[in-house]
Amino acid sequence: MYQSHVYLETRILVLPHKKAFIETGLENKIQLTIDPELLNILNMLSNVFNCKNVTEFDVEHLTGSIDIPEGSTISGYSIKVAETGFFDIEFHRRKKTVHIEEIRIEEDTGRLTRSNNNAFMDYSNAGCPSIRIRTGADFELGEEAEFFLDELRRLVQYLGIVTDSPIEKMIRCNAY
């Protein structure tokens, strides 16, 4: 018998009125700094998930070509801020540890939605700071993943990470 194991990649849109990265040009080099308010949010999440904070930020840049609407300012930067953590949940009276592989800060590029066999891109939050949380391949049942996402939603509400919009519109998840 085969058993599938799934990992989740969850994105949380935060501080839609701010930019994630502040670029400063020093001596023909681009230096990125993360918005201080956003850095506080990332530290809170890192502590809750028992993650090890990354001391040296490794900046990745979006590769490939995507159609970005005119007037959008998306840098395509992604920075890992924490790694190797865990979050305990209780599913059907059984304790389960969900491993948190990494937490990243990125600028959102948009959201793909499908309706009646058509795909649509929603760029309304393009350029907004987005926190990406990637778990380990710890989920064996869809109900476990759903329970984890419910706990994550409650946690985000409790910490006050998302305050401007309905939380259901600010969190999305892909399963792999």
Side-chain angles (χ1 to χ4, degrees):
M1 181 170 179
Y2 296 100
Q3 179 66 49
S4 63
H5 293 273
V6 173
Y7 72 90
L8 302 178
E9 209 172 77
T10 307
R11 293 181 192 275
I12 305 167
L13 291 173
V14 292
L15 305 174
H17 56 284
K18 292 203 173 201
K19 298 295 290 173
F21 308 110
I22 302 164
E23 286 186 45
T24 56
L26 299 172
E27 298 177 20
N28 298 331
K29 286 174 123 180
I30 293 178
Q31 183 179 0
L32 289 178
T33 56
I34 300 173
D35 179 81
E37 190 177 352
L38 190 54
L39 205 51
N40 285 340
I41 291 170
L42 292 165
N43 285 331
M44 273 194 305
L45 276 177
S46 176
N47 290 335
V48 168
F49 291 134
N50 305 293
C51 288
K52 181 179 85 172
N53 287 337
V54 175
T55 54
E56 268 192 48
F57 295 129
D58 188 22
V59 178
E60 293 180 8
H61 196 270
L62 180 70
T63 57
S65 61
I66 58 170
D67 294 328
I68 299 172
E70 203 144 318
S72 294
T73 56
I74 301 172
S75 67
Y77 295 123
S78 175
I79 298 176
K80 184 193 311 186
V81 294
E83 60 188 0
T84 60
F86 65 92
F87 187 65
D88 290 330
I89 60 173
E90 190 171 319
F91 182 72
H92 291 303
R93 297 185 183 163
R94 184 183 66 140
K95 181 182 168 190
K96 181 172 188 85
T97 299
V98 176
H99 295 89
I100 306 297
E101 298 293 323
E102 67 180 17
I103 299 175
R104 291 185 160 273
I105 184 65
E106 305 173 327
E107 286 178 335
D108 200 64
T109 55
R111 180 161 75 184
L112 183 66
T113 58
R114 290 184 169 78
S115 176
N116 298 328
N117 293 327
N118 293 317
F120 303 97
M121 278 302 293
D122 175 11
Y123 292 108
S124 59
N125 290 315
C128 295
S130 174
I131 297 172
R132 186 175 79 188
I133 301 169
R134 188 167 59 92
T135 69
D138 298 321
F139 301 100
E140 300 171 32
L141 301 170
E143 291 87 9
E144 288 176 337
E146 182 180 9
F147 187 79
F148 170 77
L149 291 171
D150 281 342
E151 289 297 310
L152 179 63
R153 180 184 51 80
R154 284 187 197 99
L155 179 69
V156 166
Q157 283 178 311
Y158 177 75
L159 294 174
I161 293 173
V162 175
T163 57
D164 294 347
S165 300
I167 191 134
E168 290 77 19
K169 292 183 178 184
M170 303 308 274
I171 296 178
R172 64 180 190 265
C173 179
N174 292 329
Y176 298 96

